[in-house]
Amino acid sequence: MDFMSIFDILIGFYGLKFLLQWYQSKFQGKPLDPQCLLTTDLTAATCTDLEGLTAFLLPRLLCFGLGLVLYAAISFLGLLAPLGLLLYVLFFGGFVALFLLTNKQAKRRFWP
């Protein structure tokens, strides 16, 4: 097992953590911590509309969770290896771009 396999496992567990938080918030009514998807300077204490923020973040949390689990499984199994490193970078870079976009939109809509 090389370093990249360990990295893939960590990414998969992080995706599972997102899916667990989505499930707990959606079906069990547990409040969603905004720091699961946003930067540390955006806290629940300073949010103007916590229910609106939860509704805003839940679909993104599901998307990130499923995407990270899918990325980790594909990378761990080596299914994209023939296509090269460029495809890995594009796939993972897309998730980073979505994370940054979500952070910017949430900050503009829910924090003063």
Side-chain angles (χ1 to χ4, degrees), residues 8 11 63-76 80 83-99:
D8 293 335
I11 289 174
C63 178
F64 279 125
L66 290 175
L68 288 177
V69 169
L70 180 66
Y71 172 80
I74 289 171
S75 180
F76 185 75
L80 296 179
L83 301 176
L85 183 63
L86 179 64
L87 196 54
Y88 285 117
V89 171
L90 290 176
F91 193 70
F92 194 68
F95 282 107
V96 170
L98 285 174
F99 169 78

Side-chain angles (χ1 to χ4, degrees), residues 20-88:
L20 179 65
Q21 286 180 337
W22 173 81
Y23 176 80
Q24 288 176 339
S25 183
K26 181 79 172 177
F27 296 110
Q28 296 177 350
K30 185 177 177 185
L32 182 66
D33 181 23
Q35 291 181 339
C36 64
L37 272 183
L38 304 176
T39 56
T40 56
D41 63 332
L42 304 176
T43 61
T46 59
C47 178
T48 57
D49 181 15
L50 197 55
E51 291 177 7
L53 177 67
T54 299
F56 175 77
L57 288 180
L58 278 180
R60 287 153 179 84
L61 194 63
L62 178 63
C63 178
F64 279 125
L66 290 175
L68 288 177
V69 169
L70 180 66
Y71 172 80
I74 289 171
S75 180
F76 185 75
L77 296 174
L79 298 177
L80 296 179
L83 301 176
L85 183 63
L86 179 64
L87 196 54
Y88 285 117

Side-chain angles (χ1 to χ4, degrees), residues 9-22:
I9 291 170
L10 290 176
I11 289 174
F13 278 126
Y14 200 62
L16 289 174
K17 177 186 171 227
F18 278 171
L19 292 176
L20 179 65
Q21 286 180 337
W22 173 81

Side-chain angles (χ1 to χ4, degrees), residues 1-9 75-76:
M1 184 177 282
D2 60 345
F3 174 74
M4 289 307 289
S5 297
I6 294 171
F7 188 64
D8 293 335
I9 291 170
S75 180
F76 185 75

